[in-house]
Amino acid sequence: MKLKGFILVAIFSILTALSLSQFNVVSAQTQSGVTSPVTYFTYVLRGRITYRVLNWVFPATNMSVVAKSHSGEAFYANTDYNGFYSLSVRQASASAGYMIQPVDGRKIWHPQYYKKMVSTDLNGLNFVGKLSTSSAKTSN
């Protein structure tokens, strides 16, 4: 009976020592005084860019899209074969304002740009382009 009690006390002591040693390691890490690095938020902006000619719609392949923040930081992406793009923006705060637009001055885009506060992933930021010709601008 004394042997069983001794084994039980020994196992309990070992488990207690292991538990306390793990607790001390965690406690030392959380109160070390080291500051954590700045956390960045990454959000994805998705959409499609197409051209409309009469009643035909064509994807804009390898077209650049830019998202410019109010602080002047710019993020770029290119469209794929079907005109879809996926643009990642990295920001220090949970929400930031961006102006998203295609990078091509030869087209008239509808809409011209999107002004969005980004605090989550955004989908459906689509653009439709038409050629801007001098005759189209001057005809009334």
Side-chain angles (χ1 to χ4, degrees):
M1 189 72 175
K2 289 184 180 184
L3 183 61
K4 288 182 183 178
F6 178 72
I7 293 173
L8 183 63
V9 169
I11 291 173
F12 182 72
S13 299
I14 291 171
L15 289 176
T16 303
L18 286 173
S19 297
L20 290 176
S21 68
Q22 293 298 319
F23 178 74
N24 289 339
V25 169
V26 171
S27 177
Q29 288 177 351
T30 57
Q31 297 176 1
S32 65
V34 176
T35 59
S36 63
V38 174
T39 302
Y40 287 98
F41 298 89
T42 302
Y43 300 113
V44 180
L45 313 177
R46 294 180 185 94
R48 186 174 189 205
I49 301 178
T50 56
Y51 298 113
R52 181 172 299 240
V53 178
L54 300 174
N55 284 335
W56 297 86
V57 176
F58 300 99
T61 60
N62 203 26
M63 178 78 172
S64 292
V65 181
V66 64
K68 291 182 184 176
S69 68
H70 296 308
S71 64
E73 192 172 14
F75 299 93
Y76 292 90
N78 287 333
T79 58
D80 64 7
Y81 180 74
N82 293 316
F84 291 101
Y85 67 91
S86 180
L87 175 67
S88 295
V89 294
R90 188 175 143 203
Q91 56 201 35
S93 64
S95 67
Y98 288 92
M99 184 163 63
I100 303 108
Q101 65 187 30
V103 182
D104 185 4
R106 299 173 294 159
K107 310 284 184 294
I108 298 173
W109 296 104
H110 181 72
Q112 262 187 321
Y113 57 86
Y114 287 100
K115 265 188 149 173
K116 296 281 186 180
M117 286 299 292
V118 177
S119 58
T120 184
D121 292 349
L122 296 176
N123 296 316
L125 300 173
N126 302 326
F127 296 94
V128 178
K130 295 188 287 183
L131 287 172
S132 67
T133 62
S134 60
S135 62
K137 289 181 181 178
T138 58
S139 64
N140 289 329

